[in-house]
Amino acid sequence: MRRLLRSPLAAALLTAATLFCPALVRAQGQVLIPAEALQSDVQIQQVLSDGAALEREGRWGEALGHYEDAKKDFPGRREISQRVELARMHLDIARRYSDTTFLTALAASDVNKALDLYGEVLLKIQTHYVHNPDWQGFVDRGARALDVALTEPEFIKRYYGEVAPERLTPVRQELRKLLGSTTVRSRLEARDAVGRAANLVWQRLRLPAQAIVTEYACAAVGALDPYSSFLTAGQLEDVFSQIEGNFVGLGIEIKADEQSLMIVNVIPGGPAARGGLVGGDRIVAVNAASMTEVSTDEAAEMLKGVEGSTVELSVVGEDGVRRQLHLRRERVEVPSVIDVGILDQEQGVGYFRITSFQKTTVRDVDSALWQLHRDGMKSLIVDVRGNPGGLLNASVEIADKFVSAGTIVSTRGRNPREDYDHKAHAIGTWRVPLIVLIDGDSASASEIFAGAIHDHRRGTVVGQRSYGKGSVQGIFPLTGSEAGVRLTTAKFYSPSGQAISDRGVSPDIVVHSVAKPALYGQPVDPQQDPVLKAGMDVARQQLSQR
């Protein structure tokens, strides 16, 4: 089991407080609603309307991002949370049915193998998940997921081609009636209920029972929290590649955007970088298949392949010019520490950015620190903005390089084996003045590092409040297949005992900025980056006082 702290940055968990406002007064039996509340309702209706337009076009990845952004702006609104859940269900189904490893495993399965898989998934949850399992909730969530699957084009196309909705509606109603009268109190009762549901759908629609059971298995994990998930063989391999810090591919980070794949980052030295791709370019076709003909998930899957194979891309740059590229897939080493250098030669202000916490991060940070030391470092800025997390042990070891004594982080779970206080060691501590940059995308392992520096007053934290993902995930391969599950096994707490979940780490100096850290290969420029500039000002002030 691997202990992983990484945010999918899929759903921000913010706490909403309801306060009585004395400005609200009653007059003649009526409640006066403040203009701010009316404006908020209008904004939410616009959010839902814009999201519905994306849903109608089947752009579920963009819809999910749209609703997650709205959830940050309007925390506690149930209608938005419901759309987040629905969009995530559709997106997960579309991704699975675009994943060749999933389809291959499904084709080799049967109903008994699928039920065994479902049972093993439930056993993993019962053994490792941070909270007690809700067996009834798993079956109910599975029924909702299947209801969504029966309306998802990728799912229907796989088994029916074109099918009239009126043929599906009676089956969905009958399924709800069957499961609505079923009480589920144990893992075995959950398996029995799912077996009956699969049999019903097989009898009515001749849809493979193993496909139905597998949807219930995926839904059971998805019901737990935003960070737990079922992992296909391909996704499991991707997770382990992230941990190891290398993968076979083109060396790009992408996201779905307006019927294209936008390139967010290009890894230096990789095939994409050598081919001239840069952040901001859009992939509009893969192997001559236009994004208007295939979904972004299908296109992203087409980018994958074995080492040494080639792929043809149609790319549109920010200048609007379209060009064709043929790139060879290679093993790409992903640097976890980048942009190492002295930003102020006179004052000796060193800088580096940690992009993720992986197996190589401790080695990479050591290398960066000694390089900066040789170059005359007198103060250090560590940038973890946009860092979604990674390995628990890596974040603890990095914090230990700067904190000489005391607790770095505490983990607490349902299983006593998850209860542990990670302590700092004086040996090997760097005592250089320290500034840490964070933002709303600094999550999980990044928050362990920033929280330890903040609580021990070891340095100054600058930027915006961090994401607030205070949970530890374990990666558990399944014995009955090449797939696996990611499960939340514990919550973590900062040295002061504060829960990170829903709270995040608050900076010592708040700098409101929409600027993001420089992309791979772009120069670090404090004049264009208000957060970095503020960090530089703190470093210079500290040095002047010594």
Side-chain angles (χ1 to χ4, degrees):
M1 186 266 287
R2 304 288 187 99
R3 291 163 66 81
L4 185 70
L5 298 99
R6 187 175 185 86
S7 170
L9 295 180
L13 303 179
L14 304 179
T15 302
T18 302
L19 302 175
F20 175 75
C21 178
L24 293 180
V25 296
R26 293 184 180 273
Q28 297 180 350
Q30 295 181 332
V31 177
L32 301 181
I33 301 175
E36 293 83 357
L38 291 174
Q39 183 180 11
S40 176
D41 285 340
V42 171
Q43 291 172 324
I44 288 174
Q45 289 306 312
Q46 186 62 52
V47 165
L48 297 176
S49 176
D50 293 344
L54 294 172
E55 291 178 15
R56 286 192 295 271
E57 296 179 19
R59 295 159 62 182
W60 291 105
E62 294 171 59
L64 179 58
H66 170 74
Y67 291 130
E68 285 175 340
D69 289 341
K71 193 173 180 180
K72 295 177 185 178
D73 296 331
F74 305 100
R77 295 300 293 249
R78 185 180 179 187
E79 61 268 57
I80 294 178
S81 297
Q82 289 173 336
R83 304 319 293 180
V84 167
E85 181 182 26
L86 179 66
R88 184 175 288 118
M89 283 183 176
H90 274 281
L91 185 60
D92 286 346
I93 292 168
R95 283 177 172 170
R96 283 196 294 275
Y97 278 84
S98 298
D99 186 329
T100 55
T101 64
F102 174 78
L103 295 175
T104 300
L106 198 58
S109 183
D110 58 34
V111 65
N112 291 323
K113 290 180 181 179
L115 284 170
D116 288 343
L117 175 74
Y118 182 64
E120 186 180 4
V121 167
L122 295 186
L123 181 59
K124 295 290 188 187
I125 294 172
Q126 185 177 27
T127 305
H128 300 288
Y129 189 60
V130 66
H131 299 306
N132 289 320
D134 175 9
W135 306 115
Q136 184 72 58
F138 295 157
V139 175
D140 292 344
R141 169 67 180 243
R144 292 198 302 276
L146 180 58
D147 206 42
V148 169
L150 291 174
T151 65
E152 173 56 44
E154 290 297 324
F155 187 86
I156 295 298
K157 182 172 63 176
R158 170 65 49 177
Y159 299 109
Y160 290 111
E162 296 297 327
V163 60
E166 55 268 20
R167 185 182 171 194
L168 298 175
T169 300
V171 179
R172 294 163 63 191
Q173 292 173 344
E174 191 175 357
L175 190 61
R176 283 194 290 268
K177 183 178 179 180
L178 170 68
L179 296 177
S181 62
T182 302
T183 301
V184 181
R185 293 159 296 192
S186 69
R187 179 164 48 91
L188 293 179
E189 288 182 352
R191 177 186 166 122
D192 289 343
V194 170
R196 291 197 299 274
N199 185 56
L200 171 66
V201 178
W202 163 252
Q203 290 178 349
R204 299 294 184 268
L205 297 174
R206 286 296 185 262
L207 194 154
Q210 63 265 32
I212 300 301
V213 175
T214 303
E215 287 306 310
Y216 272 88
C218 297
V221 188
L224 299 173
D225 59 55
Y227 312 113
S228 298
S229 60
F230 182 91
L231 300 171
T232 68
Q235 291 168 337
L236 186 62
E237 183 180 356
D238 288 345
V239 169
F240 287 143
S241 294
Q242 292 172 2
I243 291 172
E244 296 292 338
N246 66 73
F247 65 93
V248 172
L250 304 179
I252 55 176
E253 179 184 348
I254 56 176
K255 70 173 184 178
D257 188 66
E258 296 182 356
Q259 292 189 315
S260 67
L261 295 174
M262 175 179 282
I263 298 176
V264 179
N265 275 321
V266 178
I267 297 173
R274 296 199 305 272
L277 290 176
V278 297
D281 284 347
R282 294 175 183 272
I283 299 173
V284 295
V286 179
N287 290 336
S290 170
M291 295 296 181
T292 60
E293 302 169 352
V294 299
S295 69
T296 52
D297 290 310
E298 288 176 312
E301 187 67 21
M302 292 165 65
L303 294 178
K304 300 178 182 179
V306 298
E307 188 172 2
S309 61
T310 60
V311 61
E312 179 185 359
L313 305 181
S314 294
V315 180
V316 176
E318 293 184 328
D319 57 4
V321 176
R322 182 167 179 150
R323 61 193 192 276
Q324 299 294 120
L325 296 173
H326 286 82
L327 300 179
R328 183 180 299 275
R329 299 179 180 94
E330 299 175 4
R331 184 159 296 279
V332 179
E333 296 293 328
V334 183
S336 65
V337 177
I338 62 174
D339 298 330
V340 182
I342 301 293
L343 297 185
D344 185 327
Q345 295 291 337
E346 183 178 347
Q347 296 287 337
V349 180
Y351 171 91
F352 61 77
R353 176 154 63 102
I354 305 176
T355 60
S356 66
F357 289 89
Q358 58 198 38
K359 273 191 172 182
T360 62
T361 303
V362 175
R363 178 199 69 194
D364 293 344
V365 167
D366 278 337
S367 176
L369 287 170
W370 285 110
Q371 175 186 325
L372 293 172
H373 175 71
R374 291 190 296 269
D375 292 343
M377 173 181 65
K378 298 177 183 178
S379 180
L380 175 63
I381 298 173
V382 177
D383 193 343
V384 293
R385 288 177 296 168
N387 183 326
L391 293 174
L392 168 66
N393 289 341
S395 65
V396 169
E397 290 189 53
I398 300 305
D400 194 12
K401 293 184 182 299
F402 301 100
V403 177
S404 60
T407 299
I408 291 174
V409 68
S410 300
T411 60
R412 299 290 182 266
R414 182 166 60 93
N415 189 325
R417 289 178 297 180
E418 297 293 338
D419 296 348
Y420 194 81
D421 297 324
H422 297 265
K423 300 287 187 178
H425 307 85
I427 298 175
T429 300
W430 289 76
R431 304 188 185 279
V432 60
L434 185 64
I435 296 94
V436 177
L437 308 184
I438 63 173
D439 65 6
D441 293 332
S442 303
S444 203
S446 300
E447 295 173 289
I448 287 179
F449 172 69
I453 301 303
H454 177 273
D455 285 8
H456 283 288
R457 312 312 302 164
R458 173 58 185 84
T460 303
V461 179
V462 178
Q464 300 98 43
R465 188 175 70 127
S466 64
Y467 184 80
K469 178 189 174 287
S471 58
V472 183
Q473 280 70 49
I475 306 300
F476 303 91
L478 299 172
T479 59
S481 74
E482 296 181 354
V485 291
R486 185 200 331 253
L487 299 175
T488 297
T489 58
K491 302 288 186 179
F492 65 78
Y493 301 82
S494 72
S496 64
Q498 294 293 321
I500 300 296
S501 289
D502 304 337
R503 301 169 63 103
V505 176
S506 297
D508 299 300
I509 298 175
V510 177
V511 181
H512 295 290
S513 171
V514 296
K516 298 292 184 181
L519 299 176
Y520 285 109
Q522 292 187 354
V524 177
D525 184 0
Q527 299 307 314
Q528 301 297 322
D529 186 339
V531 178
L532 178 56
K533 184 178 184 302
M536 293 281 290
D537 291 342
V538 172
R540 289 165 177 147
Q541 182 179 8
Q542 290 175 343
L543 291 170
S544 69
Q545 295 173 350
R546 297 184 71 182

